[in-house]
Amino acid sequence: MTTEPRFEHAGVRYGVRCWGDRSANSGSSAYGAPLVLVHGFAQSVASWDEVAGRLARDRAVYALDLVGHGRSDRPDSPQAYALHAQAEALLAFISAVSDGEGGRESRKPAVIGYSLGGRVALAAAVRDPQAFAALVLESAGLGPANARERAAARERDAAQAMRLRTEGLTAFMDAWERLPLFATQSDLPAAVRERVRAGRLANDAEALARTFEGAGQHAMPSRPEALAALASMCESGAPVLYLAGARDAKYCILAEGLASNGVCETRIIEGAGHNVHLEAPGDFVASLRV
């Protein structure tokens, strides 16, 4: 069963989709807890359709539209798009899910964040690592390692925001889809590519520009802060898993760094690129069965 309620925080309404039966949640492991799914840039809760039903066979699954995306509001205020504001909204949603599950410790949700969604989830973990039963980061950045990286990221994010405003959404997405990061998606069936394209074009250029400005890579906590939060979660018994596609060299390097330093568990999914749950949904779901 799928439902689409709404969630409100700090005057912003967020689109939500729910799958599964809350009474079916398994308490046998952290990954048997309810799940909260957080999508990537220019996506929506619909981007989880292929995997959410499978994940909901033994638990409740919730997906949240980030601000400016999907059915969520597209406020005029830039503050709503700031990464810290989005992290606070996610923490409020996690709390609402936990309360809805009875407020028990075992009912705190596990969170899966893809790309931008992973960025928001990681920022939330830095603010409150105890809020999660578990955290899965799929192809997510880990924050700037130094001031030089942050400055470079700020410049890139500002350029992307300017392109959205000057060239418009369609031209921006034409260039976005040609990025090497998404090259592997050309191997997907035509119907899937068309669906992904339609989802991207359903967005608003100004809302996406504000997302770059407020929640781009430059806005992330520093890498030492992020790694400390992940270590804190693992030490407290909330497992962390980092997923990357084997065909995504950039994020495989991040995964290898996490593994070599013993920060958290990592898994590389063969045959997949940046968007693992889109390109290899079966392997993605299987990787969560721990």
Side-chain angles (χ1 to χ4, degrees), residues 83 119 122-123 126 142-144 150 217 219-226:
L83 187 62
R119 196 181 309 156
L122 186 54
V126 168
L142 298 173
R150 189 177 298 279
Q217 294 277 355
M220 291 188 71
S222 70
R223 188 160 303 182
E225 288 178 295

Side-chain angles (χ1 to χ4, degrees), residues 59-284:
R59 74 196 83 193
V61 175
Y62 306 81
L64 181 71
D65 279 327
L66 293 171
V67 64
H69 292 72
R71 294 172 57 244
S72 290
D73 287 346
R74 299 171 179 179
D76 293 332
S77 171
Q79 285 75 24
Y81 298 84
L83 187 62
H84 68 83
Q86 299 204 48
E88 288 293 344
L90 176 58
L91 287 170
F93 184 68
I94 288 171
S95 179
V97 167
S98 182
D99 290 344
E101 297 295 327
R104 292 168 291 182
E105 188 72 15
S106 62
R107 295 305 189 186
K108 288 193 299 187
V111 175
I112 303 176
Y114 161 65
S115 198
L116 170 61
R119 196 181 309 156
V120 174
L122 186 54
V126 168
R127 298 175 83 83
D128 186 3
Q130 304 305 314
F132 302 75
L135 175 62
V136 179
L137 297 174
E138 177 193 348
S139 308
L142 298 173
N146 51 50
R148 179 182 55 80
E149 285 191 8
R150 189 177 298 279
R154 182 178 289 108
E155 185 175 340
R156 290 194 303 271
D157 291 332
Q160 296 284 35
M162 179 63 72
R163 172 175 285 183
L164 275 159
R165 291 185 173 115
T166 58
E167 299 180 11
L169 183 64
T170 300
F172 175 87
M173 288 303 171
D174 288 343
W176 185 255
E177 291 169 355
R178 290 194 297 269
L179 290 174
L181 196 64
F182 303 116
T184 57
Q185 293 182 17
S186 64
D187 296 336
L188 293 170
V192 175
R193 297 198 308 272
E194 290 168 5
R195 186 177 73 244
V196 171
R197 169 81 171 177
R200 288 169 173 158
L201 293 178
N203 283 281
D204 174 78
E206 181 59 27
L208 295 185
R210 288 175 176 161
T211 298
F212 273 118
E213 292 171 337
Q217 294 277 355
H218 75 278
M220 291 188 71
S222 70
R223 188 160 303 182
E225 288 178 295
L227 296 180
L230 298 181
S232 174
M233 291 181 67
C234 293
E235 289 169 4
S236 67
V240 176
L241 173 64
Y242 190 96
L243 291 176
R247 300 175 69 188
D248 183 357
K250 176 180 178 180
Y251 289 89
C252 278
I253 291 172
L254 292 182
E256 290 163 3
L258 290 170
S260 63
N261 290 310
V263 175
C264 64
E265 183 181 3
T266 64
R267 294 184 184 174
I268 304 299
I269 307 302
E270 294 299 325
H274 186 62
N275 193 335
V276 178
H277 70 268
L278 172 70
E279 299 176 51
D283 290 338
F284 175 84

